[in-house]
Amino acid sequence: MTDKKDVIPFRRDEKTDYKSVAERVLNEVTQYSTVKQICVGGITGWSVGYLFSKVGKVTALALGSSLLVLQIAQHKGYIRINWNKVEEDYKQLYKQQSQTKSTVENVLFEVQQFARQNVFLAGGFTGGFLIGLSL
């Protein structure tokens, strides 16, 4: 029988968020030896690459099928496309792109900084990711 002192429940505080948990884990992994960093990066990359390939195939199939069905439905006259509305929405998305572009650039900069500081972990992840994609 376990003592209540031995069991530590996981409690989510309002102050704790997922980013801080990820940062803690990454900071801990970067303190490991070079071999451990390559192994952790490789296993993580392989897992992400494998999931990416499987989810990517399903997504491509669903997207391609839906586009094919929409094209057939439009050709047969079941649906009509309001091109004026499409153009308005496109212009609105184009305006929003400038805001999103700076956010994407910031994320890419952070990823580049992390990869430069943790070459072995990033290299292992990249290799594992490519292997996972090939499966």
Side-chain angles (χ1 to χ4, degrees):
M1 191 166 171
T2 60
D3 200 9
K4 279 192 168 187
K5 294 177 185 176
D6 295 338
V7 179
I8 301 172
F10 177 76
R11 292 186 185 152
R12 182 170 159 79
D13 297 336
E14 291 82 26
K15 296 177 183 178
T16 306
D17 60 349
Y18 295 110
K19 186 175 181 181
S20 66
V21 172
E23 285 176 353
R24 262 189 304 179
V25 170
L26 283 175
N27 286 336
E28 186 177 324
V29 169
T30 58
Q31 303 303 317
Y32 292 164
S33 68
T34 303
V35 175
K36 284 185 181 180
Q37 285 185 30
I38 292 172
C39 290
V40 167
I43 291 169
T44 307
W46 175 81
S47 303
V48 171
Y50 183 77
L51 288 173
F52 190 78
S53 70
K54 297 304 175 190
V55 170
K57 288 177 186 176
V58 171
T59 304
L61 178 68
L63 184 62
S65 300
S66 64
L67 289 175
L68 183 64
V69 168
L70 283 174
Q71 187 68 25
I72 291 170
Q74 188 219 4
H75 181 70
K76 295 285 186 176
Y78 293 118
I79 61 172
R80 292 190 188 270
I81 297 175
N82 184 353
W83 290 108
N84 292 330
K85 179 69 174 156
V86 172
E87 186 177 356
E88 289 173 15
D89 289 346
Y90 176 75
K91 287 179 181 178
Q92 190 176 27
L93 285 173
Y94 187 75
K95 289 177 184 176
Q96 291 175 355
Q97 177 189 6
S98 62
Q99 297 168 352
T100 306
K101 187 176 180 181
S102 63
T103 304
V104 170
E105 288 174 355
N106 290 341
V107 170
L108 288 176
F109 179 75
E110 288 180 22
V111 169
Q112 284 177 342
Q113 289 297 104
F114 179 80
R116 285 184 185 138
Q117 293 171 354
N118 304 292
V119 174
F120 299 112
L121 184 64
F125 181 85
T126 303
F129 182 79
L130 294 175
I131 291 171
L133 275 179
S134 67
L135 296 178

